[in-house]
């Protein structure tokens, strides 16, 4: 990762941020070094200045020092200003190619749901003895999608998969064969979302809502200044991308985890992915981002070879 900052040279004030992160992901079924552009922030007073263009010129220098054929980036769906600026191809910006909407809903963990039974398929939590088979299966499925991360068993227990344990993986098994994997990855020890404040109406309703939550499956609303408890639904890997297997496995995880300390899980699936329709069966807060493949003019041929496989960005790792 390369974290970029922009400072006002007179005051020393931090006025802008961005990041360039290189990792191996699957492109057209092959592992490839690709960049991820993220965390672009600019102080409102400096928007409209030359800072953005100069920042991208600096990014271009970093690219020339350690080039990759493609980048990808995600911009919140409602951030129309950023999307219009970054896709303009002006001021030396690279080319942003829209490849569709990426859904990242926060799914409520509250009321129980009826289990989904599938003939011949059972569901269970994993253990250490499953790890080799888990990582092999994840990589087999990942290679069938665009931009899915390249993982190996050696990543387990390292900072790359910090606080992810074997029993956080949930398996769908047919006979002795794994046909589905998802993981509940709680990153609360090192990555949090805090409540800064509530709107006036929600703040007034909060004590009443929280009193109801003591006698129901609803989760209380955290106090301002405290963090929101959630986990990521990670490493969604389903044989043949079959929605019914995902439906059953997700229902198993949901019912197992809903009584825990978490208020939500955060999922991430592309709008073209048939699995994404399963998320619509749950009470949720809808959030999405527009996903882009980004390249410089000399890498136009690499972009043109980028095929139409379904994108899968592992949001727990970005």
């Amino acid at each position: 990762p390369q974290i970029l900052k922009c400072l006002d040279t007179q005051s020393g004030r931090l006025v802008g941020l961005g990041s360039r992160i290189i990792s191996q992901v699957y492109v057209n079924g092959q592992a490839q070094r690709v960049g991820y552009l993220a965390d672009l922030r600019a102080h409102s007073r400096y928007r409209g200045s030359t800072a953005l263009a100069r920042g991208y010129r600096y990014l271009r220098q970093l690219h020339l020092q350690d080039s990759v054929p493609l980048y990808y980036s995600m911009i919140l769906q409602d951030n129309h200003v950023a999307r219009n600026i970054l896709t303009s191809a002006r001021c030396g910006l690279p080319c942003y190619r829209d490849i569709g909407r990426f859904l990242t809903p926060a799914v409520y963990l509250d009321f129980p749901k009826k289990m989904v039974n599938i003939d011949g398929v059972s569901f269970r939590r994993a253990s250490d003895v499953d790890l080799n088979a888990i990582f092999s299966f994840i990589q087999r499925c990942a290679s069938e999608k665009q931009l899915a991360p390249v993982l190996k068993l050696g990543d387990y227990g390292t900072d790359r998969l910090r606080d992810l344990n074997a029993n956080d993986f949930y398996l769908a098994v047919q006979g002795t064969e794994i046909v589905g994997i998802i993981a509940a990855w709680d990153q609360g020890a090192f990555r949090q979302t805090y409540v800064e404040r509530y709107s006036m109406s929600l703040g007034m309703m909060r004590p009443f809502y929280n009193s109801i939550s003591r006698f129901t499956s609803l989760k209380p609303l955290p106090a301002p200044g405290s963090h929101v408890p959630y986990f990521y639904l990670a490493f969604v890997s389903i044989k043949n991308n079959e929605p019914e297997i995902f439906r059953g496995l997700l229902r198993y995880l949901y019912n197992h985890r809903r009584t825990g300390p978490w208020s939500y899980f955060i999922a991430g699936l592309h709008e073209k992915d048939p699995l994404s329709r399963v998320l619509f069966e749950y009470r949720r807060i809808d959030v999405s981002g527009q996903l882009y493949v980004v390249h410089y003019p000399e890498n136009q041929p690499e972009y043109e070879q980028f095929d139409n496989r379904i994108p899968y960005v592992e949001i727990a790792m970005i």
Side-chain angles (χ1 to χ4, degrees):
Q2 295 171 313
I3 312 302
L4 316 180
K5 65 179 183 180
C6 177
L7 300 178
D8 184 308
T9 54
Q10 293 186 338
S11 66
R13 183 180 189 179
L14 180 66
V15 299
L17 286 172
S19 62
R20 174 184 185 260
I21 301 167
I22 307 298
S23 64
Q24 281 211 329
V25 302
Y26 285 101
V27 175
N28 300 340
Q30 301 297 316
Q32 188 169 327
R33 290 179 77 244
V34 166
Y36 175 59
L37 303 179
D39 306 319
L40 184 62
R41 303 286 187 273
H43 190 285
S44 57
R45 187 183 303 172
Y46 296 80
R47 293 171 192 165
S49 70
T50 62
L52 181 67
R54 291 162 61 198
Y56 268 87
R57 282 201 296 271
Y58 184 70
L59 177 67
R60 176 71 157 154
Q61 294 174 26
L62 296 178
H63 171 77
L64 293 173
Q65 293 168 12
D66 179 21
S67 63
V68 292
L70 298 171
Y71 295 86
Y72 66 101
S73 189
M74 200 182 310
I75 306 174
L76 281 174
Q77 189 75 26
D78 294 335
N79 194 347
H80 300 292
V81 173
R83 289 172 58 191
N84 289 338
I85 292 173
L86 296 178
T87 59
S88 67
R90 298 196 302 263
C91 305
L93 268 65
C95 301
Y96 278 71
R97 307 287 191 170
D98 188 343
I99 59 169
R101 196 160 53 105
F102 204 79
L103 311 177
T104 57
V107 175
Y108 289 96
L109 288 160
D110 43 33
F111 300 105
K113 288 183 174 291
K114 184 179 179 180
M115 292 295 292
V116 176
N117 297 316
I118 304 173
D119 288 343
V121 177
S122 61
F123 306 108
R124 65 175 176 87
R125 296 180 75 182
S127 63
D128 288 340
V129 298
D130 297 306
L131 286 172
N132 190 54
I134 286 171
F135 279 86
S136 295
F137 184 82
I138 288 174
Q139 286 318 284
R140 192 157 62 248
C141 293
S143 66
E144 297 169 357
K145 295 188 176 181
Q146 297 285 34
L147 305 176
V150 175
L151 294 173
K152 57 185 183 297
L153 181 59
D155 291 318
Y156 182 75
T158 69
D159 283 346
R160 192 175 188 213
L161 300 179
R162 180 178 172 183
D163 291 350
L164 182 65
N165 301 307
N167 62 8
D168 292 325
F169 288 96
Y170 290 74
L171 310 181
V173 181
Q174 190 169 39
T176 59
E177 179 191 6
I178 293 176
V179 294
I181 293 174
I182 52 179
W185 190 356
D186 183 352
Q187 301 181 355
F190 59 94
R191 184 182 188 184
Q192 302 95 24
T193 297
Y194 280 83
V195 177
E196 182 173 306
R197 62 182 178 272
Y198 288 103
S199 66
M200 182 178 294
S201 58
L202 191 54
M204 292 174 64
M205 188 184 74
R206 180 174 163 268
F208 176 70
Y209 182 93
N210 285 356
S211 66
I212 295 176
S213 71
R214 297 173 190 168
F215 309 104
T216 67
S217 298
L218 295 172
K219 300 297 177 67
L221 296 173
S226 60
H227 78 273
V228 179
Y230 65 91
F231 63 81
Y232 286 98
L233 187 73
F235 309 116
V236 177
S237 307
I238 306 295
K239 183 179 179 180
N240 298 328
N241 218 37
E242 173 53 52
E244 194 61 19
I245 295 175
F246 180 51
R247 177 174 287 107
L249 185 55
L250 182 59
R251 188 65 54 86
Y252 180 81
L253 178 148
Y254 172 91
N255 282 326
H256 186 266
R257 292 269 171 160
R258 72 171 188 84
T259 57
W262 310 280
S263 298
Y264 313 92
F265 69 78
I266 310 295
L269 291 170
H270 194 272
E271 63 178 345
K272 291 198 308 184
D273 197 324
L275 304 182
S276 67
R277 304 297 177 266
V278 176
L279 299 176
F280 300 158
E281 299 170 5
Y282 291 82
R283 202 166 70 91
R284 67 200 182 277
I285 301 170
D286 284 321
V287 184
S288 62
Q290 208 68 20
L291 186 60
Y292 296 89
V293 171
V294 184
H295 67 88
Y296 286 99
E298 64 269 24
N299 296 118
Q300 176 79 18
E302 285 87 347
Y303 167 71
E304 291 175 350
Q305 294 170 9
F306 192 86
D307 67 31
N308 61 357
R309 299 176 205 216
I310 296 168
Y312 179 81
V313 175
E314 184 52 71
I315 60 168
M317 299 182 72
I318 63 173

